[in-house]
Amino acid sequence: MAMVAAALAYYFRPKQWLKEEIDRRIRASIPSDLDPARTVGVPIRRSDKCTGHSLEGSAAGELECPPLEKYLSGVKTFLEFDPLIENVIVTSEDKSACEEFLQLLQKELPKLRVVQNVGDVQQGTGSGNNLEAYVEGSGNDNVVASALTSMHLHLRARYFVITSKSTWTSTIAVMARSYGFASQIFVIDIVPNTNQYGSYARKGS
């Protein structure tokens, strides 16, 4: 597991300008008193990951994306396990899904403090191609900065609600196990994959 995380860390090592941009965004996004041990991370991967999407120029969907209520149920399960949880980090490339989930949180769990990636492009696709067709200002540099900032935000969580059928959300959990700020990581996988990487994400082994 540690070797996998180390390889990913090497792969994601940013250039100096990107380090500075990620740092600026993190400082704008994370409250100074955030306690990783009392934080849930919810990285939502949707848009062109979902089967039946209508995004032109993007890869065909490969996942029956779960309803957002399943993510909410995962957060509630963690709250039952640890009533001291006080923060939830919510990120997604899909702006509409993110906004809908935030509405669910406000309705069902209004006491939780929501942390978001301030300035996130939310380009509406996991593809790096033809990004300007989806969101104005979503050039590759901005999208990369947004994505890596989201990952770094989630390193400040202890609990995660993911689907391991998304390599991206699995990677966040894997990285958190080796490089996160919390001492122990717990993962609820709402749509599990059966491969070894999914197992790393869920259990760390």
Side-chain angles (χ1 to χ4, degrees):
M1 223 295 282
M3 290 184 65
V4 172
L8 288 168
Y10 179 83
Y11 177 77
F12 285 121
R13 55 187 180 150
K15 295 181 178 180
Q16 186 59 38
W17 73 266
L18 186 51
K19 287 181 181 178
E20 293 172 0
E21 181 63 16
I22 291 170
D23 183 67
R24 183 187 68 78
R25 295 181 184 217
I26 287 173
R27 291 177 184 276
S29 302
I30 298 178
S32 60
D33 61 344
L34 184 139
D35 183 351
R38 297 184 178 182
T39 303
V40 181
V42 185
I44 301 171
R45 176 72 171 94
R46 291 179 89 79
S47 62
D48 58 351
K49 187 71 173 178
C50 304
T51 56
H53 75 77
S54 58
L55 295 170
E56 294 183 9
S58 191
E62 55 187 6
L63 172 65
E64 288 288 343
C65 286
L68 295 172
E69 286 79 6
K70 290 197 72 171
Y71 288 95
L72 182 68
S73 178
V75 176
K76 288 180 176 179
T77 297
F78 279 134
L79 279 167
E80 291 173 3
F81 173 72
D82 183 356
L84 296 179
I85 289 171
E86 56 190 16
N87 309 295
V88 56
I89 300 171
V90 181
T91 63
S92 180
E93 88 292 345
D94 188 326
K95 183 177 182 179
S96 62
C98 190
E99 290 176 348
E100 184 179 343
F101 186 69
L102 293 176
Q103 290 174 3
L104 286 173
L105 284 173
Q106 180 59 38
K107 179 181 178 182
E108 301 286 337
L109 300 169
K111 292 184 179 181
L112 284 182
R113 177 171 59 178
V114 175
V115 177
Q116 292 185 267
N117 181 353
V118 174
D120 193 356
V121 171
Q122 295 185 305
Q123 70 276 10
T125 173
S127 170
N129 298 321
N130 197 28
L131 292 166
E132 293 286 356
Y134 300 100
V135 176
E136 184 179 353
S138 59
N140 276 304
D141 289 354
N142 206 1
V143 170
V144 169
S146 287
L148 292 182
T149 300
S150 290
M151 176 179 285
H152 279 271
L153 288 180
H154 284 295
L155 295 183
R156 274 83 175 170
R158 184 183 194 189
Y159 305 99
F160 291 89
V161 184
I162 69 163
T163 166
S164 60
K165 288 201 171 181
S166 162
T167 302
W168 174 246
T169 63
S170 294
T171 297
I172 287 172
V174 168
M175 294 291 283
R177 291 187 183 281
S178 291
Y179 300 107
F181 289 73
S183 59
Q184 190 175 7
I185 301 299
F186 298 89
V187 173
I188 291 176
D189 188 355
I190 59 174
V191 185
N193 205 336
T194 57
N195 62 17
Q196 188 63 40
Y197 197 59
S199 178
Y200 283 149
R202 283 189 298 277
K203 301 181 295 183
S205 62

